[in-house]
Amino acid sequence: MMKGYRGKLPLSIITVTLCGFAFLALLYTERLSFLSSSSFLKSKSCARRTSAVVKAKDETAEKSLENPELDDRFEFDPEECDITRGKWVFNRSIKPLYTDRSCPYVDRQFSCVKNGRLDLDYRHWEWQPDDCYLPRFDPEVALEKIRGKRLVFAGDSLQRSQWESFVCMIEWTIPPQKKSMKRGKIRNVFKAKEYNASIEFYWAPFLVESNTEVNILEPKKRIIKVDSVSKQSKNWEGADILAFNTYVWWMIGLRLKTLWGSFANGEEGYAQLDTPVAYKIGLKTWANWIDSTINANKTRVFFTTMSSIHSKSASSPSSLSNLAFL
């Protein structure tokens, strides 16, 4: 009897044991429910979302490499954007504001199409600053900017091309009776009458004086008066905006005939100088005139630095490639 009794658990003990297991199971279930709503498990979920965001950013970065339009450049702000740093990009969607056939003021020597060029891809290159989006040129905005002002380009044929280009970009918006063009050997003047504005070009390939500016003599016969701009500068005074350049015409050899004083001395009065030295003296003469004559509060001055050769016959002295003073 005793052995049989010991081999079987009392019903009360079995009941208590089962209730205990049920209670523990309930606690375990509640614990899981609590943990699932805790920040610990939530942080796991955020981690999964974070990895998804990182992956999305990586995919965007890859697309940015494939598509240059996806970049971090900002809207144009003249105070923040450095437009001198950037690159030329090809954009087929660009529609030129003018062509050398549509603008009546393009000289034949600058007319690519009239001179036989067959491809037109050169019309679809645009300057893209590294920092910002450069807004599309708006001729009406440009005309408002120069309302009541005088804009003068002075220099060689490269600057004349800049003058023609600017005139062509705005002239098509002006009715024929409200614009005029007067051309000469030295000075060309386009006027937008409604805006009381003039856009001029003054031919001064050296900026300083020389014995050959209109009737182009043989380069070896040129004598450059490196200490004076008085002959030309009287035509620049009073301008609101001045844009200068000079370089190509200096590239006629390793040494130049330079003159101080009067041309009356002729062939006997000049001295031969290394081209970089003569160029430096000429630029200093021009810069001194700017400093002593131009009121910076009234007139803005720009200078276009050296550019690539634009004629087959031009030579480029190697000594000019390392002009440390520019």
Side-chain angles (χ1 to χ4, degrees):
M1 292 294 294
M2 290 298 293
K3 289 182 180 180
Y5 176 77
R6 289 178 180 177
K8 295 182 180 180
L9 292 174
L11 181 59
S12 60
I13 295 177
I14 294 174
T15 301
V16 171
T17 302
L18 290 175
C19 289
F21 279 120
F23 180 73
L24 290 174
L26 179 62
L27 286 177
Y28 182 74
T29 302
E30 290 296 319
R31 178 62 175 170
L32 285 179
S33 177
F34 171 77
L35 290 176
S36 66
S37 62
S38 68
S39 60
F40 175 77
L41 288 181
K42 280 189 175 181
S43 66
K44 296 274 187 188
S45 176
C46 284
R48 285 194 295 270
R49 287 200 299 271
T50 302
S51 63
V53 171
V54 171
K55 183 179 179 181
K57 286 184 177 180
D58 291 341
E59 291 176 354
T60 302
E62 292 178 4
K63 290 180 180 179
S64 296
L65 294 175
E66 297 174 358
N67 185 358
E69 295 300 323
L70 297 175
D71 54 38
D72 58 354
R73 291 180 296 152
F74 52 84
E75 292 298 322
F76 178 72
D77 183 344
E79 300 296 328
E80 298 292 335
C81 182
D82 183 0
I83 62 173
T84 65
R85 296 183 180 274
K87 59 181 178 295
W88 287 100
V89 296
F90 187 81
N91 186 350
R92 179 69 69 179
S93 65
I94 294 176
K95 183 179 180 181
L97 291 173
Y98 74 95
T99 68
D100 49 3
R101 289 191 181 278
S102 67
C103 181
Y105 305 126
V106 178
D107 286 337
R108 178 59 186 258
Q109 69 183 99
F110 298 136
S111 176
C112 297
V113 175
K114 291 179 181 178
N115 284 309
R117 183 163 184 167
L118 299 178
D119 72 283
L120 301 178
D121 285 349
Y122 66 91
R123 297 177 179 177
H124 299 285
W125 288 91
E126 65 176 354
W127 180 251
Q128 184 183 88
D130 292 334
D131 299 332
C132 71
Y133 293 97
L134 195 63
R136 179 76 164 155
F137 181 84
D138 188 326
E140 293 183 353
V141 171
L143 283 166
E144 283 295 339
K145 293 286 187 181
I146 62 172
R147 181 184 287 275
K149 292 182 171 60
R150 182 176 166 226
L151 166 58
V152 177
F153 293 84
D156 56 31
S157 58
L158 291 176
Q159 203 70 342
R160 183 171 63 193
S161 181
Q162 293 293 313
W163 167 75
E164 284 187 3
S165 180
F166 187 81
V167 169
C168 288
M169 286 194 296
I170 60 144
E171 66 85 21
W172 60 274
T173 66
I174 306 173
Q177 67 275 16
K178 295 184 178 181
K179 60 186 175 183
S180 66
M181 171 68 82
K182 183 178 180 181
R183 288 184 179 269
K185 290 184 177 181
I186 297 293
R187 188 182 180 197
N188 299 325
V189 181
F190 173 85
K191 288 188 176 182
K193 299 176 182 178
E194 184 178 356
Y195 294 87
N196 189 30
S198 67
I199 306 166
E200 307 173 22
F201 170 71
Y202 188 87
W203 174 251
F206 296 105
L207 293 185
V208 293
E209 295 180 35
S210 76
N211 67 338
T212 169
E213 293 174 351
V214 179
N215 301 315
I216 302 176
L217 304 176
E218 184 180 348
K220 292 182 180 180
K221 294 182 179 180
R222 290 176 184 161
I223 301 176
I224 303 168
K225 193 172 184 296
V226 292
D227 67 337
S228 176
V229 294
S230 58
K231 179 181 176 182
Q232 295 94 324
S233 62
K234 59 186 179 182
N235 294 282
W236 307 337
E237 295 178 6
D240 298 280
I241 305 170
L242 284 166
F244 296 97
N245 95 302
T246 182
Y247 178 67
V248 174
W249 275 50
W250 297 82
M251 298 189 298
I252 59 176
L254 296 176
R255 294 177 68 81
L256 292 175
K257 296 177 181 179
T258 57
L259 178 72
W260 284 261
S262 172
F263 276 109
N265 294 328
E267 292 290 322
E268 298 178 359
Y270 72 84
Q272 293 250 9
L273 291 180
D274 290 341
T275 298
V277 175
Y279 186 46
K280 181 177 182 178
I281 295 173
L283 285 182
K284 282 189 173 181
T285 298
W286 165 80
N288 288 336
W289 176 84
I290 294 291
D291 291 339
S292 62
T293 308
I294 297 300
N295 181 355
N297 294 322
K298 180 184 183 299
T299 303
R300 296 198 65 181
V301 178
F302 299 89
F303 182 78
T304 304
T305 56
M306 65 178 67
S307 61
S308 58
I309 295 172
H310 70 305
S311 62
K312 291 183 179 179
S313 61
S315 61
S316 178
S318 58
S319 60
L320 284 180
S321 62
N322 295 311
L323 294 177
F325 52 83
L326 282 182

